[in-house]
Amino acid sequence: MTARDVPPAATSEGPPRPSRRRLLLGVLLDLVVPIALYYGLRAAGVSVFVALLAGAVLPVSTTAVHWLRTRSLAGTAGFVAGIMLLGVAAALVSGSPRFMLAKDGWLSGAAGLWFLISIRAERPLLFHGGRPLLEGRFRSDGTSWDVLWEREPAFRRIWRVSTAIWGVAMLLDAVVRIAMAYTLPVDLVPGLGALLWPVTLVLLQLVNGVYYEVAGLWRLTAGKSGRSPDH
């Protein structure tokens, strides 16, 4: 997860549409390349700490380039970038390879807490994250999510519950990452940590997909709620 990969909040005029190319490029630059860089440097005899630091600096650098080009970061992006920079700074102060290995766990935990805190916000975090991907694209009759949010209590409840699911899952992911960082051989952790991201995300997609179906999200977006406006 990096700052530029997090979708900005939607506006009433419609959310921005993330391109598949941009998403794939983000995965390549922020997941594949740092891991390849780490193991390449280790094979060349570089110390664990320096190799980990090089892999951590790359996503921060690409985020900085994004900011220089656009002169803006969405609220979520600013939060993620801040956590990343704090993690790198703390690692430099401590000089601990284990702390560097646990960095993604601290980031995942912070993200999980923010998901849970956002449940009580005007609109929860996952609503803003899911909107650019789903609104008007999947089982939709074209009704704006702003309208659904105002009219349908079930629609609001679905996004708050699914945000809670993400928050709890990210906290569990953090526990696993931190445990791996402090217990497993150091050269094993980066590869396992990289594999854990797709596993976590796939499981989240499956759980949320089942929940959306059972809770009736697609029925609501398709205009089959059978309810009259509350207001």
Side-chain angles (χ1 to χ4, degrees):
M1 180 192 302
T2 63
R4 70 177 179 283
D5 296 328
V6 181
T11 67
S12 60
E13 296 177 356
R17 301 297 190 183
S19 68
R20 183 174 300 178
R21 180 180 178 183
R22 178 184 173 186
L23 292 174
L24 290 176
L25 182 60
V27 171
L28 178 65
L29 290 177
D30 301 321
L31 185 60
V32 177
V33 173
I35 295 301
L37 179 62
Y38 170 81
Y39 285 112
L41 291 174
R42 289 293 289 146
V46 175
S47 69
V48 171
F49 183 77
V50 173
L52 286 170
L53 186 61
V57 167
L58 181 61
V60 174
S61 300
T62 55
T63 299
V65 170
H66 174 75
W67 180 83
L68 289 172
R69 290 176 57 189
T70 64
R71 292 295 179 179
S72 66
L73 286 176
T76 309
F79 171 81
V80 175
I83 293 295
M84 290 167 61
L85 289 171
L86 285 174
V88 172
L92 287 171
V93 172
S94 67
S96 169
R98 293 288 182 180
F99 187 91
M100 282 292 291
L101 288 170
K103 176 179 63 64
D104 283 349
W106 302 121
L107 175 59
S108 183
L113 289 175
W114 199 21
F115 271 104
L116 294 178
I117 291 171
S118 78
I119 293 172
R120 304 307 303 172
E122 182 179 356
R123 297 187 184 183
L125 191 58
L126 198 60
F127 174 91
H128 295 300
R131 188 176 188 181
L133 301 173
L134 298 173
E135 185 181 23
R137 291 186 169 191
F138 186 71
R139 301 190 194 178
S140 173
D141 67 347
T143 303
S144 167
W145 279 21
D146 291 323
V147 173
L148 289 172
W149 184 268
E150 292 298 326
R151 291 182 176 180
E152 300 289 349
F155 187 78
R156 298 193 292 270
R157 182 173 61 252
I158 287 169
W159 285 112
R160 297 196 190 281
V161 171
S162 59
T163 297
I165 292 172
W166 270 76
V168 171
M170 295 303 288
L171 290 177
L172 293 175
D173 178 90
V175 170
V176 173
R177 289 180 185 280
I178 294 170
M180 290 194 309
Y182 285 100
T183 60
L184 297 180
V186 290
D187 282 330
L188 187 61
V189 177
L192 289 178
L195 291 175
L196 186 57
W197 283 122
V199 171
T200 299
L201 293 176
V202 167
L203 287 176
L204 272 169
Q205 292 296 331
L206 289 174
V207 171
N208 271 281
V210 172
Y211 171 68
Y212 292 153
E213 192 70 45
V214 172
L217 175 62
W218 311 129
R219 176 174 52 81
L220 292 170
T221 59
K224 301 176 182 177
S225 63
R227 293 177 54 90
S228 58
D230 294 334
H231 306 292

